[in-house]
Amino acid sequence: MNNDRAILNTSQEHEIFGDRDLPSWLTSQQISLACTTYQTSRLMLIGAVPETNRISAFWRIFDRAMGLFCTPERIYLSSKYQLWQLDNVLAEGGQHQGYDRLYIPRIAHTTGDIDIHDIAVDKNNQIIFISTLFNCIATLSDRHSCKPLWKPQFISQYINEDRCHLNGLAMVAGEAKYVTASSQSDVVDGWRDRRKNGGIVIDIESNDIIVTGLSMPHSPRWYQDKLWLLNSGRGELGYVDLETGKFEAIAFCPGYVPRTSFLAKLGNCWTLETEGW
């Protein structure tokens, strides 16, 4: 680990500690990292300065920043009361103070505190998200906090009670396909005493529960024809064998990691979206 200090574009200086090979790896892969942490209410952008081989970082405060979704020119971000749209305002090939992206908050949809976790944009360009408080997949509404689109069959009604801790959303071919939840509870906070092994994965189209026995599963992602997810309660990253319904762990992640994404090519650069608690 190195102790190089990076000056952030904020009102204060902060120290960033990272592996000495991180800047060169970011440069070689041509990626930057976008991270949120709801505990300190920050959206963080982390990249590298090739000329000095040092980390470059920037953050802004969004109250209880959590869900992220990135497109080539846009970042969607959920906070405590809003779903934000940040747009890159630089023309192709343009720069601002040496950076090739300048994201400006353009739109804030006020949803109220509905505990938005995963966010996505479907093939019809509709913003969809998990409202953990309402135990459902929802979209924006011009009249209400959200417009529910789908809920698990074991949830008896749309109600502002976190009953099963629905949280993760996997898209396949531009459509919502899989979700993760911490339990099959239909009572308020019923998931809390089932965190150890009550976690499930649901196939949205069929409403079938295809995996059980997980511990606080999060962040399902469809990648290279496999369904990947974080078995966060046990610190595991792995994939689901859809034939057997078994979760196959392939890596241990220290701490509690509820959000991750695979490298996805966006225009002429690579970006990685991730979130940690």
Side-chain angles (χ1 to χ4, degrees):
M1 305 288 284
N2 69 13
N3 293 334
D4 287 348
R5 183 171 64 190
I7 308 302
L8 302 191
N9 295 318
T10 61
S11 59
Q12 299 177 353
E13 290 186 1
H14 299 269
E15 289 186 333
I16 295 178
F17 299 92
D19 189 279
R20 64 176 178 268
D21 293 324
L22 178 59
S24 59
W25 182 79
L26 291 172
T27 299
S28 67
Q29 298 297 313
Q30 287 294 286
I31 65 170
S32 296
L33 310 179
C35 315
T36 59
T37 167
Y38 84 89
Q39 290 180 324
T40 58
S41 296
R42 280 166 168 80
L43 167 66
M44 298 173 286
L45 303 178
I46 302 171
V49 181
E51 294 78 10
T52 61
N53 196 38
R54 297 182 66 188
I55 295 171
S56 173
F58 177 101
W59 71 47
R60 279 290 183 263
I61 292 177
F62 290 85
D63 190 11
R64 208 171 79 192
M66 193 176 299
L68 277 177
F69 184 82
C70 299
T71 70
E73 298 294 326
R74 182 168 292 167
I75 294 174
Y76 295 97
L77 164 71
S78 70
S79 64
K80 187 173 183 178
Y81 300 115
Q82 283 90 23
L83 195 156
W84 292 86
Q85 176 183 311
L86 292 77
D87 290 340
N88 173 43
V89 297
L90 297 181
E92 185 175 355
Q95 288 198 344
H96 174 76
Q97 298 179 356
Y99 296 93
D100 60 4
R101 293 289 189 277
L102 177 61
Y103 291 101
I104 303 295
R106 289 300 197 193
I107 300 173
H109 302 275
T110 299
T111 61
D113 187 2
I114 60 173
D115 203 11
I116 296 176
H117 279 58
D118 271 1
I119 308 168
V121 177
D122 69 16
K123 64 182 182 181
N124 298 315
N125 208 34
Q126 176 179 233
I127 301 170
I128 59 176
F129 50 83
I130 298 288
S131 170
T132 300
L133 184 66
F134 279 91
N135 313 283
C136 72
I137 300 174
T139 190
L140 298 169
S141 169
D142 59 3
R143 183 174 294 270
H144 305 290
S145 292
C146 64
K147 177 183 177 181
L149 299 175
W150 176 92
K151 63 178 177 61
Q153 286 189 327
F154 57 79
I155 296 294
S156 57
Q157 61 181 317
Y158 292 111
I159 187 170
N160 58 337
E161 298 177 351
D162 181 2
R163 296 183 171 188
C164 65
H165 205 69
L166 193 74
N167 57 68
L169 172 63
M171 305 291 289
V172 179
E175 296 183 343
K177 178 60 176 172
Y178 302 103
V179 293
T180 51
S182 294
S183 81
Q184 300 179 54
S185 169
D186 192 31
V187 296
V188 61
D189 287 337
W191 60 274
R192 292 187 180 276
D193 61 2
R194 298 170 172 86
R195 286 176 288 184
K196 184 177 180 180
N197 55 16
I200 59 174
V201 179
I202 307 173
D203 184 313
I204 295 168
E205 185 177 4
S206 67
N207 283 302
D208 292 336
I209 296 174
I210 61 172
V211 185
T212 60
L214 301 172
S215 178
M216 294 292 289
H218 283 77
S219 198
R221 299 290 182 262
W222 186 256
Y223 179 68
Q224 293 186 347
D225 296 325
K226 284 185 178 180
L227 177 61
W228 298 78
L229 58 86
L230 290 164
N231 197 24
S232 301
R234 299 191 181 102
E236 297 170 336
L237 167 67
Y239 64 91
V240 172
D241 185 329
L242 295 177
E243 295 295 325
T244 64
K246 300 296 184 181
F247 172 74
E248 303 288 345
I250 65 166
F252 175 72
C253 306
Y256 185 83
V257 183
R259 298 285 182 274
T260 190
S261 285
F262 290 91
L263 289 170
K265 192 166 187 183
L266 302 178
N268 294 321
C269 66
W270 292 85
T271 67
L272 175 67
E273 175 196 343
T274 184
E275 177 187 338
W277 280 348

